[in-house]
C-alpha cells in the first residue's frame, strides 16, 4: 500500500479542486435553503475530499453492497458537506442538492437520515454516530469477517459527550482496527469556543488512554490527511484522526470566527465566496471500489426449537426471554448484547450457547443500544438487554433509533415495584411511557413464560424498535404452549356473557387481576380479565368488546407510574368511541421504597386487595 | 497538615478495628435482609474507615450544616457499608441497621435515597453520584466559597459509563480541587470481571488525560489510603484515588471470587465470617468536625422585575424563558446551566447578566442535569436548558432526580415539528411523555411570552423536577401582563354558553386552535378554546366544565407524538367521569422531515386546516 501514500502534483491539484467543489456546494445549498451549517462543512471539506477520492471503498451505485466501507457523519449538522459528497459521487444531481436541500418533501433533510440509501443511520444528536459505528465495526470484525472499514466524521464539540468515550473504550476493548474516527477540530461550538479548543495534545492523550491510536494532522494538509487515512486503514487497532481545522475554511470573511455556527452565508457573501473558490464545478469523483467479497451465505441454521413450559409452573418472564433468545440463536443472524447484567436479564443463556455472537457492553447503556443499531445496519437481528430502569440511560439513542427506522429488540428486566427490596433506583416505572413515545416502536409486556417466548420469537423479524418488558419474580405459567400471541393481540383470561366489570392488566398485574377476579366472584361480582400483553399496538377490538360487555366499566392495573403507560394506552385507544367508558386506573402513584414484591404492590395500590376494592367501588350502586 | 499524614500504631489499630466493624455490620445487615451487596461493601471498608475517621469533616448531628463535607456513594449498591458508616457515626442504631435494612417501611432502603438526612441524592443507577458531586463541588468552589470537600465513592464497573468522563472532564475544566473520586477497583462487576480489572495504569492515564490528579493506592493499606486522602484535600485540582481492592476482602471464602456480586452470605457463613473478623463491635467513630464558617448571608437581592410584553407582539417563548430567567437572577440563589446551546435556549440572557452564576456544561447533557441536582443540594435554584430533544440524553438523570426529590428546573427548547428545517433529530416529540412519567414532576408548556415568564417565575420555588417546554418560532403575545398563570391552571381563550366543541391546545397549537376557532365560527360552529399550559398538574375542573358545556366533544391538538403527551394527560384526567366524552386527538403520527413550521404542522395534521376538518367531522350529524 506504499503507493497510496504518494500523492503526485496532479493528484493534489485534483484533490484541491474537489475540496473546493465540496466547499462551494455546501455554501450554495445552505444559502439557497436559508439555513444549515456551512462553516461546519467547510472545516471538514479537505478531509472528505481525500477520504472519498482515495480511501473510502464504496460503490455509490450499490449502497447496500456488503463489501462497502461505511461513512457516518456523527456531526450530522454538516449535512451540506455530506450531500455535496453525494453530488461529487454522482449519487444525486447538482439540481437536487441546490434546489431541495432542507425543503419540504425533500430527502435532503437538515440532518441526514436513512431516507437516503447512502446513510446508515440518522445523526444530528451529537455523540451518536461514532457509537453506532462501533456496532458496525463489531459486525465487520467479529461476525462478517470482511475487510470493510468504518469512517465516522465527528465534531470536536461532541467529544464532550460521554457516549464518545464509551465508544472509544469499546472500540479498544474489541480491537476494532476497522474503525476510524475523524475528529474535525475547528475549535468552535455553537455558541463559542469548545472546551479544549485546539488543545490537540489533550485530545491525543485521551484517545490513547482509551485504547485507540491517535493520528494528529493538519486537517487542511492534503498530503498529511492522505497519509493518516492510509495509516488508519493499516492500523492494528482502532484509530482516531485528530484533525486541526479552521471553521469556515476557504471563506476569509467567516474563517475561524465565532458567531457563524449554523448560519448560512447571505447571498452576496455566498456569491463572493463561491467566486473566490473558483466557481461552481461538476467534478465527479472516482471513489475506490471495494475488493470483491464472497456473497453472503444463504441463511443456514436449524429452525429454532422454542422453549415449552408446563402450565402452572413458576417461571420468571426474564428467564423465558433468555430461553427464547437462546432458541432463536439457531439463526445465525441473531446476536445479543447486554449491559453487564446478563445474569439478571438472563441474556446469559444466549451468551453461553453462542459466545461468538454475544457482545458484553459492560455498564454503558448508551453504547449498548448504539451497538445494536450498528449491528442491524449490517443485517443482524440484535437483542440488547439491561434493567428496564437503565434503558432510560440510552433514551436519546432509542429515540434516534426510531428516527433511523432501525430494527432492534430491547429487553428491560426488573420492571416495576415488583422487584422488591432493591428500591426505586432499580425499578423501571417510566419505561412504558418512554418507549411508547418512540416513533414506530412496539411495546410488549408478557405475563407468563409461554407468551413471553412467543413474543420474543416475533420480535426477531419485526421492524422498528421493539421493546419487551420482563418481570423479576416467578409467576405461574398461564397459557398452553400452542396458544398464539400475535403482536397487537391480547388474551381473554376470564369472561362470560354477563360480566360486571373488566379488569385489564399486563405483565405482573395480570396475576393480580386473576386473583382479584376469583375473590370478586366469591362476592358475586363477575369480572372479565384481559391480558393486554401488547401495549403498542393495542388490541382495540378486544377493548371495544369489553366496553360493550361490561357497560363501559374498565379497571386498568399497571406496575408503572400513572402517566403514559398501560392506562394511557387504553384511554388513547378508546378516546373517540361513542359509548360511555369509565376507567378506574390503578398505578404506582407515590415514591416506592424497599419491601417484598407483595408489600410494595399492595402499598402502591396495584395488588389484589386494591383491585378488589376498586372493582367493588366501581360496581357500587350510585357511583 | 503534616500531622495528618502520620499514623501511629494505636491509630492504626483503631482504624483496623473500625474497618472490621464496618465489614461485620455490612455482612450482618445483608445476611439478615437476605439480599444486598456485602462483597461490594467489604472491598471499600478500609477506604471508608480512614475517610470517616480522619478526613471527612462532618457533623453527624447536623447533616445540613453548610460547612460539612459531602459523602456520596456513587456505587449505591454498597449501601450496607454506607449504613454501617452511619452506625459507626452514631447516626443510626445497631438495631435499626440490622433489623430494618431493606425491610418494608424502612429508611434503610436497598439503595440510598435522601429519605435519610445524611444522603444528598439517590444513587443506584451507576455513574450518577460522581456527576452530582461535580455540581456540589461547583457550588462550593464557585458560589459558596467554602472549604468543604466532596468525596464520591465510585465502583470500578461504573467507570465504563460515559457520564463518569463527562464528570471528570468538567471537574478539570472548572478546577474542582474540592472534589475527590474514590474508585474501589475490586475488578469484579455483577456477572464477571470488569473491562479493565486491575489495570490501574490505564485508569491512571485516563483520569490524568481528563484533567484530574490520580492517586494510586492499595485500598487495604491504611497508611497509604490516609496519605492519599490527605494529598487529595491539599491538591490544586480534582483528584481521583484509584484504590486497588479485593472484592469480599476479609472473608476468605468469598474474597476475590466471581459469582458473589449482590449475594448476601448465608447465615452460617456470615456467622463464621463475623467471628473471624473479631465479632460484633460498637465502636463510635469521632469524625473530624468542619471548621466553623460564617452563617449564610440573609438572602439579599432586589425583587425580580419580570419582563412585560405587548399583546400581539411576536415573541418566542424561548426568548421569554431567557428574559424571565435573567429577571430572576436578582435572587442570588438562582443559577443557570446550559448544554452549549444557550443562544438557542436563550439562557444566554442570564449568562450575560450573571456570568458568575452561569455554568457552561458544553455538549454533555447528562452532566448538565447532574450538576443542577448537585447545585440544589447546596440550596441553589438551578435552571438547566438544552433542546427538548436532547433532554432525552439525560433521562436517567432526570428519573433519578425525581427519586432524589431534587428541586430543579429544566427548560427544553425547540419542541415539536414546529422547529422546521432542521429535521426530526432536533425535534422534541416525546418529551411530554417522558417528563410526565417522572415521579413528582411538573410539566409546563406555555403558548406565549407572558404566560411563559409567569411560569418561569413559579418554577423557581417549586418542589421537584419542573420542566418547561418552549417553542422556537415567534408567536403573538396572547395575554395581559397582569394575568395569573398558576401551575395547575389553564386559560379559557374562547367560550360562551352554547359552544359546540372544545379545542384544547398547549404551546404552539394554542395559536392553531385560535385560528381554527375563527374559521369554524365563520361556518357557524362555536368552538371553545382552552390553553392547557399546565400539562402536569392538569386543570381538571376546566376540562369538566368543557365536557359539560360541549356535550363531551373535545379535540386535543399537540405538537408531540400521540403517546403519553397532552392527549393522554387529558384522557387520564377524565378517565373515570360518568359523562360520555369523545376526544378527537390530533398529534404527530408519522416520522417528520424538513420543511417550514407551517408545512410540517399541516403535514402532521396539527395545523389549522387539520383542526378545522377534525372539528367539523366531530360535529357532523350521525357521528
Amino acid at each position: 500500500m506504499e503507493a497510496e501514500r504518494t500523492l503526485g502534483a496532479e493528484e493534489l491539484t485534483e484533490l484541491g479542486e474537489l475540496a473546493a467543489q465540496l466547499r462551494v456546494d455546501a455554501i450554495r445549498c445552505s444559502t439557497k435553503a436559508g439555513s444549515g451549517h456551512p462553516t461546519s462543512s467547510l472545516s471538514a471539506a479537505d478531509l472528505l475530499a481525500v477520504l472519498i477520492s482515495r480511501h473510502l471503498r464504496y460503490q455509490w451505485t450499490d449502497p447496500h453492497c456488503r463489501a462497502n466501507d461505511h461513512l457516518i457523519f456523527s456531526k450530522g449538522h454538516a449535512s451540506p458537506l455530506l450531500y455535496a459528497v453525494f453530488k461529487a459521487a454522482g449519487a444525486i444531481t447538482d439540481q437536487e442538492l441546490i434546489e431541495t436541500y432542507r425543503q419540504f418533501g425533500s430527502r435532503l433533510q437538515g440532518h441526514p437520515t436513512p431516507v437516503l440509501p447512502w446513510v446508515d443511520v440518522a445523526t444530528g444528536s451529537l455523540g451518536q454516530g461514532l457509537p453506532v459505528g462501533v456496532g458496525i465495526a463489531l459486525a465487520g470484525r467479529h461476525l462478517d469477517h470482511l475487510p470493510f472499514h468504518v469512517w465516522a466524521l465527528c465534531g470536536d464539540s461532541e467529544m464532550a459527550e460521554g457516549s464518545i468515550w464509551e465508544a472509544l473504550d469499546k472500540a479498544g476493548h474489541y480491537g476494532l482496527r476497522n474503525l476510524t474516527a475523524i475528529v474535525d477540530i475547528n475549535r468552535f461550538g455553537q455558541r463559542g469556543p469548545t472546551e479544549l479548543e485546539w488543545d490537540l495534545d489533550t485530545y491525543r492523550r485521551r484517545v490513547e488512554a482509551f485504547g485507540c491510536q491517535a493520528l494528529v494532522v493538519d486537517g487542511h494538509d492534503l498530503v498529511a490527511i492522505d497519509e493518516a487515512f492510509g495509516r488508519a486503514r493499516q492500523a492494528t487497532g482502532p484509530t482516531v484522526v485528530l484533525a486541526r481545522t479552521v471553521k469556515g475554511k476557504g471563506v476569509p470573511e467567516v474563517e475561524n470566527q465565532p458567531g457563524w455556527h449554523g448560519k448560512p452565508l447571505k447571498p452576496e457573501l455566498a456569491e463572493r465566496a463561491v467566486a473566490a473558490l473558483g466557481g461552481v464545478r461538476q467534478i465527479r469523483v472516482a471513489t475506490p471500489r471495494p475488493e470483491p467479497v464472497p456473497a453472503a451465505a444463504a441463511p443456514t441454521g436449524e429452525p429454532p426449537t422454542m422453549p415449552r413450559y408446563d402450565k402452572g409452573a413458576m417461571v420468571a418472564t426474564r428467564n423465558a426471554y433468555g430461553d427464547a433468545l437462546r432458541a432463536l440463536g439457531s439463526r445465525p443472524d441473531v446476536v445479543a448484547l447486554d449491559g453487564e447484567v446478563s445474569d439478571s436479564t438472563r441474556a446469559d443463556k444466549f451468551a453461553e450457547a453462542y459466545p461468538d455472537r454475544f457482545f458484553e457492553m459492560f455498564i454503558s447503556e448508551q453504547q449498548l443500544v448504539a451497538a445494536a443499531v450498528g449491528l442491524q445496519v449490517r443485517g443482524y437481528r440484535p437483542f440488547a438487554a439491561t434493567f428496564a430502569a437503565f434503558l432510560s440511560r440510552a433514551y436519546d439513542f432509542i429515540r434516534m433509533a426510531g428516527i433511523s427506522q432501525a430494527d432492534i429488540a430491547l429487553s428491560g428486566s426488573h420492571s416495576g415495584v415488583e422487584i422488591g427490596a432493591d428500591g426505586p433506583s432499580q425499578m423501571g416505572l417510566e419505561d412504558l411511557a418512554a418507549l411508547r413515545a418512540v416513533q414506530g416502536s412496539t411495546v410488549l409486556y408478557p405475563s407468563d413464560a409461554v407468551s413471553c417466548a412467543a413474543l420474543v420469537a416475533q420480535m426477531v423479524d419485526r421492524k422498528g424498535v421493539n421493546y419487551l418488558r420482563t418481570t423479576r419474580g416467578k409467576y405461574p405459567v398461564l397459557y398452553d404452549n400452542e396458544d398464539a400471541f400475535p403482536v397487537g393481540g391480547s388474551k381473554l383470561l376470564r369472561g362470560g356473557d354477563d360480566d360486571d366489570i373488566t379488569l385489564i392488566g399486563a405483565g405482573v398485574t395480570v396475576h393480580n387481576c386473576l386473583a382479584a377476579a376469583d375473590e370478586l366472584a366469591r362476592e358475586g361480582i363477575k369480572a372479565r380479565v384481559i391480558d393486554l400483553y401488547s401495549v403498542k399496538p393495542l388490541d382495540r377490538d378486544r377493548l371495544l368488546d369489553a366496553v360493550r360487555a361490561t357497560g363501559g366499566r374498565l379497571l386498568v392495573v399497571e406496575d408503572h407510574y400513572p402517566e403514559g403507560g398501560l392506562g394511557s394506552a387504553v384511554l388513547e385507544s378508546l378516546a373517540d368511541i361513542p359509548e360511555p367508558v369509565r376507567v378506574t386506573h390503578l398505578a404506582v402513584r407515590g415514591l416506592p421504597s424497599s419491601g417484598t414484591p407483595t408489600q410494595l404492590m399492595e402499598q402502591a395500590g396495584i395488588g389484589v386487595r386494591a383491585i378488589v376494592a376498586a372493582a367493588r367501588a366501581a360496581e357500587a350502586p350510585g357511583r
Side-chain angles (χ1 to χ4, degrees), chain A:
Chain A
M1 307 307 253
E2 188 61 26
E4 268 195 23
R5 291 216 294 279
T6 314
L7 270 174
E10 194 179 332
E11 284 164 313
L12 274 174
T13 306
E14 279 173 21
L15 284 173
E17 282 294 300
L18 176 61
Q21 169 171 315
L22 297 177
R23 289 195 165 93
V24 163
D25 289 345
I27 291 167
R28 290 166 68 218
C29 71
S30 51
T31 291
K32 178 75 180 356
S35 70
H37 299 75
T39 57
S40 307
S41 297
L42 296 173
S43 56
D46 297 313
L47 294 163
L48 266 290
V50 175
L51 185 67
I52 64 171
S53 301
R54 297 179 46 84
H55 298 277
L56 183 75
R57 300 183 187 165
Y58 195 87
Q59 284 198 272
W60 293 100
T61 52
D62 184 8
H64 298 297
C65 168
R66 62 196 297 265
N68 279 349
D69 280 2
H70 290 262
L71 172 62
I72 301 172
F73 265 44
S74 196
K75 53 177 291 187
H77 56 284
S79 60
L81 176 61
L82 181 63
Y83 302 157
V85 162
F86 293 168
K87 171 195 141 175
I92 63 172
T93 64
D94 186 75
Q95 187 182 17
E96 180 176 4
L97 174 64
I98 305 305
E99 292 185 9
T100 79
Y101 178 53
R102 284 180 166 250
Q103 301 305 309
F104 183 64
S106 167
R107 59 183 183 167
L108 303 183
Q109 299 180 14
H111 292 74
T113 80
V115 172
L116 291 159
W118 315 279
V119 173
D120 289 325
V121 287
T123 52
S125 179
L126 291 172
Q128 297 209 19
L130 180 63
V132 170
V134 166
I136 299 174
L138 268 179
R141 185 139 169 70
H142 294 284
L143 299 169
D144 294 326
H145 305 293
L146 290 178
F148 70 78
H149 203 87
V150 181
W151 308 89
L153 179 70
C154 300
D156 47 353
S157 274
E158 67 181 316
M159 303 303 279
E161 287 283 16
S163 58
I164 289 288
W165 303 98
E166 294 183 15
L168 294 180
D169 176 56
K170 292 304 167 296
H173 181 75
Y174 281 104
L176 302 181
R177 66 180 190 215
N178 55 343
L179 176 75
T180 299
I182 305 165
V183 190
D184 176 16
I185 304 175
N186 64 28
R187 90 175 179 100
F188 281 113
Q190 170 174 327
R191 54 85 253 145
T194 60
E195 201 173 343
L196 295 177
E197 300 205 33
W198 276 329
D199 181 358
L200 278 282
D201 194 54
T202 294
Y203 280 115
R204 183 187 57 72
R205 284 188 294 120
R206 291 185 180 188
V207 159
E208 289 174 351
F210 274 72
C212 302
Q213 184 184 346
L215 300 161
V216 179
V217 296
D218 173 346
H220 304 303
D221 178 338
L222 300 171
V223 173
I225 295 168
D226 186 57
E227 190 176 271
F229 289 167
R231 288 176 63 195
R233 183 133 213 157
Q234 301 304 321
T236 56
T239 42
V240 179
V241 175
L242 296 167
R244 185 189 199 275
T245 61
V246 175
K247 197 158 181 167
K249 176 74 178 179
V251 182
E253 287 99 323
V254 303
E255 261 183 21
N256 199 20
Q257 280 175 45
W260 276 102
H261 182 94
K263 290 190 185 146
L265 309 190
K266 291 262 184 291
E268 268 187 40
L269 174 54
E271 211 173 307
R272 271 201 314 279
V274 168
L277 284 162
V280 175
R281 294 165 182 80
Q282 305 296 348
I283 299 168
R284 180 78 172 270
V285 71
T287 298
R289 294 172 74 88
E291 299 289 317
V293 301
T300 56
E302 300 294 309
T305 306
M306 297 305 292
R308 299 174 67 84
Y309 304 94
D310 294 332
K311 219 162 168 174
M314 299 295 281
V315 185
T317 51
R318 60 186 171 120
N319 272 302
Y321 169 73
D323 294 339
L325 186 57
R326 182 179 51 199
L328 291 167
S330 68
R331 280 177 51 160
D333 59 342
V334 171
V335 298
L337 310 95
D338 199 277
E340 221 276 300
V341 287
S342 57
D343 52 338
S344 288
T345 63
R346 302 320 313 271
D348 58 357
K349 292 172 184 256
F350 182 97
E352 284 156 19
Y354 302 102
D356 296 345
R357 279 186 273 138
F358 176 81
F359 298 101
E360 178 58 75
M361 289 292 127
F362 298 94
I363 308 275
S364 52
E365 294 81 6
Q366 299 184 114
Q367 183 56 55
L368 172 72
V369 172
V373 172
L375 287 161
Q376 64 88 45
V377 166
R378 293 294 307 178
Y380 293 94
R381 299 300 323 210
F383 283 75
T386 182
F387 282 29
F390 305 141
L391 281 174
S392 64
R393 195 61 152 265
Y395 191 43
D396 195 18
F397 287 77
I398 301 170
R399 177 182 79 87
M400 290 295 290
I403 295 172
S404 291
Q405 301 183 59
D407 303 328
I408 59 171
L410 303 173
S411 171
S413 70
H414 294 67
S415 56
V417 302
E418 193 278 341
I419 67 161
D422 272 333
S425 64
Q426 318 293 300
M427 297 170 176
L429 284 165
E430 57 295 297
D431 54 320
L432 294 178
L435 270 293
R436 282 206 314 125
V438 169
Q439 222 286 319
S441 68
T442 296
V443 178
L444 306 168
Y445 184 20
S447 62
D448 87 333
V450 166
S451 54
C452 181
L455 292 168
V456 173
Q458 292 170 78
M459 291 169 83
V460 74
D461 283 321
R462 204 174 155 81
K463 293 279 165 199
V465 173
N466 292 276
Y467 173 52
L468 179 79
R469 186 185 218 225
T470 68
T471 302
R472 178 177 182 275
K474 295 175 180 175
Y475 293 86
V477 173
L478 299 176
Y479 299 108
D480 290 321
N481 291 298
E482 287 65 36
D483 286 353
F485 298 87
V487 171
S490 67
K491 283 288 177 191
L492 187 66
L493 277 162
R494 296 270 197 288
D497 292 336
D498 55 348
D499 296 332
D500 300 305
I501 188 165
T502 303
L503 310 183
I504 300 169
V508 68
T509 61
V510 169
H511 300 276
N512 298 348
C513 286
L514 287 172
D518 291 344
E519 186 155 336
L520 289 165
R522 287 191 285 275
E523 299 180 16
I525 297 175
K526 291 177 186 144
R528 173 175 292 227
V529 176
I530 295 173
D531 174 358
L532 215 52
Y533 62 80
S534 181
V535 180
K536 181 187 175 189
L538 204 70
D539 189 351
R540 189 164 186 260
D541 289 344
R542 175 87 66 194
L543 295 178
L544 290 175
D545 280 351
V547 165
R548 282 152 200 166
T550 61
R553 281 181 295 276
L554 308 182
L555 194 156
V556 184
V557 198
E558 61 183 313
D559 194 355
H560 186 274
Y561 289 138
E563 298 87 5
L566 186 69
S568 303
V570 168
L571 290 164
E572 289 164 17
S573 151
L574 300 175
D576 69 347
I577 66 168
E579 296 87 343
V581 182
R582 288 183 79 168
V583 177
T584 303
H585 185 198
L586 305 183
V588 180
R589 286 175 198 276
L591 186 58
S593 57
S594 292
T596 67
T598 304
Q599 284 170 335
L600 293 175
M601 287 196 284
E602 286 298 342
Q603 181 189 42
I606 61 169
V608 179
R609 259 182 297 177
I611 298 171
V612 168
R616 219 184 269 138
E619 265 302 287
R623 180 196 184 229

